[in-house]
Amino acid sequence: MTTRYTTDHEYVRAEGKIGTVGISSFAQEQLGDIVFVELPAVGASFKKGEEVAVVESVKAASEIYAPVSGTVTEINETLSDEPGLINSDPAAAGWIFKLELADEAELEGLMDEAAYADHTA
């Protein structure tokens, strides 16, 4: 399992050809209490960097971009009723969507844990 981060604070945790996407703990702290999540449609395809979802907090709305290219295979429907899961557990229960990676090599262009820690320091 490999977890990579974008400069926009999304993470993608890849297991084989499936990537689980969410926002980092740093990002949820910056947003504050999350009150709504607009989820993508299962089956929709996105290129790296395209807007996929929107997270609204008490402070602002923030677009979630595809960290890598792929097709959405699953969405976290629990977030419709419990958007605060992103605040309480962003790396596990607060995941936003899963996608089938179109090109696993795109992961290499993202930051690893150490580089992301430096980015947010």
Side-chain angles (χ1 to χ4, degrees):
M1 182 173 11
T2 302
T3 302
R4 298 289 180 157
Y5 298 87
T6 70
T7 55
D8 293 321
H9 310 290
E10 291 93 3
Y11 69 78
V12 55
R13 189 174 49 248
E15 298 176 65
K17 289 188 103 22
I18 301 297
T20 302
V21 179
I23 62 172
S24 69
S25 184
F26 175 84
Q28 68 82 20
E29 288 174 13
Q30 297 299 307
L31 286 169
D33 292 338
I34 294 171
V35 295
F36 179 75
V37 181
E38 182 180 311
L39 297 165
V42 172
S45 294
F46 297 93
K47 291 186 177 167
K48 180 178 179 180
E50 288 185 333
E51 182 182 325
V52 178
V54 177
V55 173
E56 291 183 27
S57 72
V58 293
K59 292 182 180 176
S62 182
E63 293 81 15
I64 306 300
Y65 301 103
V68 292
S69 302
T71 301
V72 176
T73 60
E74 188 177 347
I75 57 174
N76 188 352
E77 294 183 30
T78 306
L79 295 177
S80 296
D81 295 327
E82 300 178 57
L85 284 175
I86 293 175
N87 293 114
S88 62
D89 196 7
W95 62 276
I96 299 172
F97 61 93
K98 295 184 180 186
L99 52 74
E100 183 173 347
L101 308 178
D103 181 2
E104 292 176 57
E106 287 182 344
L107 292 169
E108 298 306 316
L110 302 175
M111 292 179 279
D112 62 16
E113 300 255 357
Y116 185 70
D118 287 344
H119 177 71
T120 56

